[in-house]
Every structure is written in structure tokens, then in C-alpha cells.
Amino acid sequence: MKLGNIHRARGKHFSFTLMIMVLMTIFLWSYEKKPLLTTLLSAQERFPLPTSDMLPITSHVPENVMKPKDHFTHLPSSGIAKKDFTHALYSGVEDVRHLLPSKMKGCNYAKGKWVRDNRRPLYSGFRCKQWLSEMWACRLTKRPDFSYEAYRWQPDSCNMPGFEGSAFLKRMQDKTIAFIGDSLGRQQFQSLMCMVTGGKESPDVEDVGSEYSFVLPPGGARPDGWAFRFRETNTTILYHWSSCLCDLEPVNITDPASNVAMHLDRPPAFLRRFLHRLDVVVLNTGHHWNRGKINANRWVMYVDGNPNENRKLAQVGNAKNFTIYSTVRWLDSQLPFHPRLKAFFTTISPRHFFNGEWNTGGSCENTTPLARGSKVQQDESSDPVAAGAVKGTKVKLIDITALSQLRDEGHVSRYSIKSTQGIQDCLHWCLPGIPDTWNEILAAQI
């Protein structure tokens, strides 16, 4: 009898223990889930999405910087409200990481170090004549030192596989990659063409510029873009010149000397026209935003279809920031209608003029790699305007500013084939060179 009582007591104890274990399992499962939602929601509260009162200011922009509107009457709004963020968490959206600040994602391609790699460069600057402009092909100049070619970027917390041209083209089969921006965007385009071909002549590549209206205008030095298709994989890589990244149209189309309306709140016409044909789009702008170039091009700032009358917005730095926000938000608003499209914005490429500007004796004579250091340890971008513009959108940042800042020895400097006496190019980069790294980061993020 006593033995039976013992067995019954043990049975009750086992049932009670099992119940406790089940409850503990449920509690732990719930606890693991709840902090994630709490973290995401609290992050949205601590890092609110950019509004008209939150425009980041760069060091060279006046403090009374003009702030973009949250909504433009002729463009669909693309801001992501807090309710949209919360809805995404509870409605089964697969990936809400794009709604968080980059430093919370665990992978920051901009944070890391330059390391020596004797397998570099990725292509020959002597052989890539089919795609590479002579003015950037430093191997064709009298430059004596090319040690800047032998380094690769190694992110601290990201897996960035080595770039292999044929593998990249297979990944991009039946896709179109478009670079739209200024001459730094053109460098990134030429770099990618050299990378995927290994710098070799390729009869498999077809010039399809006419499909995108890239033709040499009468009296023009070059067309406003190039497009090439790799027949084997049906991959198209193109570049369109849009230095200000906004829409430009003559005020009087019948007058060749007409002023040009610079619509700060409209994306480039090319982007609007061909967006449905693109699978990857990479935007950039920055260095053409100065009063000299605006006046020389006869550009006149327009907003809402009319000449701008806002004095704050008339300041060039304010106009640039306004345009970047406007174009990024428009692009983000279009992404739901183009599910296969991946959009990127490349941060500003640093200039390295010392002891003057480009036209006042400024130079970049250093040829020693990493004389300014080899590591980037900051979490935040060195281009707060671009970083602020993409925050809260599905447009991704190619954050190249800080890592490129360390490479002042990689510029064309005074070695350009058509160099001008007393003037050095401390803005553009030698190719092969630093823009190859920009494309490695792009490839890793696609």
C-alpha cells in the first residue's frame, strides 16, 4: 500500500514537472519573439524616419539648409509612416530590416580596413581599351608607381566574396544594370565593364545604346550615355549622364541658347522613361552642384513647374540636398510597381585637393598607399545627406565616402594623358583602382 502511494506521488510529480517544462518552453519562445518586436518598434521611435524637419546637414552646407517637402503635388509620396512600419511587423512581411538604421543591421560594408592583396588588380589597365577612357587609364600615362592597385577592402562584419566576372554575369542573366549620375558614376560604370570582361576585348558584347536614345548630338563631344549587352547571358550594363540627378528641359525648346529649367523636384526624364526596363539602378550626384557649373550650363532652378522664388532653396547646397531627397523618395515610391527592381545610391566620392583647388594650384602628389590610415571604424556614414535620404526607404546605400577618403594616392593627379599644366585631377580615380571596390560592394548587396 505504501509502495502504491509512492508510485502515485511520483506520477503526480512527473506530470507537474512536465507541465512546468511545457510552460517554460512557451514562455521562452514568447520571450525570444517579443524582444525582437520591441527592439524594432523602439528603434523606429528612437530613429524616426526623415521628415521636413530632419534633413541632415553636410559640413559645407549652411546651417539654414532648405528642407524638402514630405509630399510633392505631382509626385506620389513615398514616406514610410510609423503605422506602416508597425503593420509590416505584424502582417507577415518577410524582411523589415530596410526600415532600420544601417548600424542596426549587423552588416556595414563601409566599416572595415584596406588590406594588401597581390591578386590585384582585377583587370589590366593596359588592355581594357574597349571600355576604359584614356584620361582615367593611369597605366597609359607616365605615372611611375602603381602600388595603389594592390589593395582590397575587407569589411569587418560582412561577407564580401571575391568578384568573378563570368559568375556575376550569370547572376545578372536577363537583367539590366543602370548607372545614372555624374562622371564618378561613369567611372563606376567603366570599372564594372572592365571587371566583368577582365579588361579583355569581347566580341560577344553588343552596343545597344540606340535602344536608350544614346546618340552623339550634332557638335557634341560624346553621347549622354552608353549601353552594352552581353549576348551569352543577355545582361545589359548602361550609363546615363545626369550630373544633377534632376530633370532638365529647355525653357524655350526652339531657342538653342535658351536657359534650361532645372526641376529640383523631378527625377531625370531618362529614369522615368526607362525604369520599367531596369533591374538594378545605381544613382549618384554631388560635385556638379556649384554655382560656376550651374551658371555655365544656364540652369535655372524650378520647383512645382515654376521658377524657384525661395531664397533658402536657391542656395546650391540646399538645392542639392532637396533634389537628392526628392529623387530618392520618388524612386522608392515606384519600387512597389517594379518588384524585381533593386535601387542603390552611391555616397559622394571624396576630393583630395591639397594647398588649393583644382584651378588654384591644388594637388594630390602622394603615391604612398594608406598614408592616411587603413581602417574605417565609424558606424555612421560620412555622407549624412545620402544616408538620411535612403533611411526608411528600400533604396540601399553604397557607402564609399569614408573608405575612399583613405586612398588619396589613387587619383589621376598630374598623370592624365591630356593633362593641363598646373592643374591636377584630384577628384577622379585611376582605373583599375578605387571604383572597383565600389562595384564589389554593389555586387555583394545585389
Side-chain angles (χ1 to χ4, degrees):
M1 188 68 179
K2 290 182 179 179
L3 184 61
N5 289 337
I6 291 173
H7 284 308
R8 282 193 294 273
R10 286 180 176 175
K12 290 180 180 179
H13 178 72
F14 175 77
S15 299
F16 179 76
T17 302
L18 181 62
M19 180 179 68
I20 292 298
M21 291 176 65
V22 171
L23 291 175
M24 285 294 292
T25 301
I26 295 173
F27 173 77
L28 290 173
W29 181 87
S30 302
Y31 182 79
E32 288 176 357
K33 297 296 181 183
K34 185 175 180 180
L36 174 61
L37 299 181
T38 304
T39 300
L40 294 175
L41 290 172
S42 63
Q44 171 66 2
E45 294 169 355
R46 289 186 290 114
F47 299 96
L49 301 174
T51 66
S52 59
D53 295 318
M54 297 175 58
L55 182 64
I57 302 173
T58 59
S59 59
H60 60 279
V61 177
E63 291 187 359
N64 58 344
V65 62
M66 182 64 183
K67 305 169 181 65
K69 300 175 184 177
D70 285 331
H71 178 76
F72 302 103
T73 55
H74 63 284
L75 295 177
S77 174
S78 61
I80 301 176
K82 182 175 180 178
K83 64 179 182 180
D84 298 318
F85 182 90
T86 307
H87 173 72
L89 293 175
Y90 290 99
S91 61
V93 175
E94 182 177 357
D95 188 358
V96 296
R97 290 176 299 169
H98 63 274
L99 299 177
L100 296 175
S102 60
K103 70 177 184 179
M104 297 187 65
K105 296 177 185 177
C107 175
N108 182 353
Y109 288 96
K111 187 176 180 180
K113 60 184 177 181
W114 289 100
V115 296
R116 187 167 181 82
D117 186 344
N118 293 327
R119 295 170 294 180
R120 302 282 161 145
L122 299 175
Y123 55 90
S124 169
F126 289 112
R127 300 168 63 186
C128 195
K129 296 179 181 179
Q130 190 173 358
W131 324 114
L132 180 54
S133 297
E134 283 189 348
M135 60 184 172
W136 299 328
C138 292
R139 283 280 181 176
L140 303 181
T141 70
K142 295 181 180 180
R143 179 168 180 145
D145 184 89
F146 300 94
S147 56
Y148 64 88
E149 293 181 347
Y151 289 84
R152 64 176 172 84
W153 179 249
Q154 181 174 297
D156 284 346
S157 57
C158 310
N159 178 27
M160 194 164 77
F163 187 92
E164 205 282 312
S166 60
F168 179 79
L169 288 174
K170 288 179 182 178
R171 285 174 56 202
M172 296 294 104
Q173 184 158 350
D174 300 321
K175 298 185 184 301
T176 297
I177 305 169
F179 295 90
I180 302 174
D182 59 23
S183 56
L184 278 306
R186 184 182 168 200
Q187 285 211 295
Q188 194 171 357
F189 159 74
Q190 292 192 6
S191 163
L192 185 60
M193 289 299 299
C194 291
M195 290 168 68
V196 295
T197 60
K200 301 175 183 178
E201 297 283 329
S202 180
D204 176 60
V205 182
E206 177 186 6
D207 186 338
V208 293
S210 60
E211 293 184 15
Y212 298 90
S213 302
F214 295 152
V215 295
L216 184 65
R222 62 178 69 94
D224 62 357
W226 294 265
F228 299 101
R229 181 167 298 137
F230 294 78
R231 292 189 182 96
E232 184 175 345
T233 59
N234 192 35
T235 304
T236 302
I237 302 177
L238 68 86
Y239 164 76
H240 171 65
W241 170 266
S242 180
S243 60
C244 62
L245 214 57
C246 62
D247 197 19
L248 299 171
E249 61 177 3
V251 174
N252 182 357
I253 197 170
T254 63
D255 180 9
S258 169
N259 286 335
V260 177
M262 185 184 192
H263 295 283
L264 305 180
D265 51 353
R266 296 182 191 174
F270 178 88
L271 186 60
R272 303 197 309 271
R273 179 182 175 187
F274 292 105
L275 189 66
H276 68 286
R277 296 185 58 176
L278 307 180
D279 299 280
V280 177
V281 60
V282 183
L283 307 179
N284 91 289
T285 188
H287 293 291
H288 278 255
W289 287 90
N290 63 74
R291 185 59 62 184
K293 289 188 179 294
I294 290 175
N295 292 342
N297 291 320
R298 300 193 303 275
W299 290 345
V300 179
M301 296 181 186
Y302 272 57
V303 177
D304 290 330
N306 298 301
N308 173 55
E309 296 181 354
N310 187 308
R311 292 184 178 180
K312 288 186 177 180
L313 186 55
Q315 297 175 25
V316 175
N318 292 339
K320 174 180 74 74
N321 297 356
F322 183 93
T323 297
I324 291 173
Y325 268 74
S326 173
T327 298
V328 168
R329 289 179 177 181
W330 176 85
L331 181 56
D332 182 60
S333 75
Q334 300 302 303
L335 292 179
F337 307 106
H338 306 278
R340 68 181 186 179
L341 178 63
K342 295 184 178 182
F344 299 87
F345 195 101
T346 304
T347 62
I348 195 164
S349 175
R351 306 157 78 250
H352 287 99
F353 289 97
F354 298 100
N355 302 316
E357 278 296 318
W358 68 272
N359 57 349
T360 59
S363 63
C364 45
E365 299 280 2
N366 176 44
T367 59
T368 302
L370 306 177
R372 304 168 66 88
S374 62
K375 296 181 179 180
V376 174
Q377 297 179 315
Q378 65 195 48
D379 291 312
E380 303 298 333
S381 174
S382 290
D383 186 349
V385 173
V390 304
K391 184 188 291 185
T393 75
K394 291 185 178 181
V395 180
K396 296 182 180 180
L397 202 66
I398 305 178
D399 193 357
I400 56 89
T401 305
L403 63 89
S404 303
Q405 185 70 40
L406 299 174
R407 302 304 306 277
D408 62 300
E409 86 286 3
H411 288 292
V412 173
S413 186
R414 59 185 172 88
Y415 299 106
S416 176
I417 288 178
K418 297 180 180 180
S419 59
T420 303
Q421 185 67 29
I423 295 181
Q424 296 195 20
D425 187 349
C426 304
L427 170 62
H428 298 104
W429 304 91
C430 290
L431 291 175
I434 311 307
D436 303 335
T437 293
W438 307 350
N439 282 323
E440 289 182 281
I441 294 175
L442 168 64
Q445 291 188 247
I446 290 178

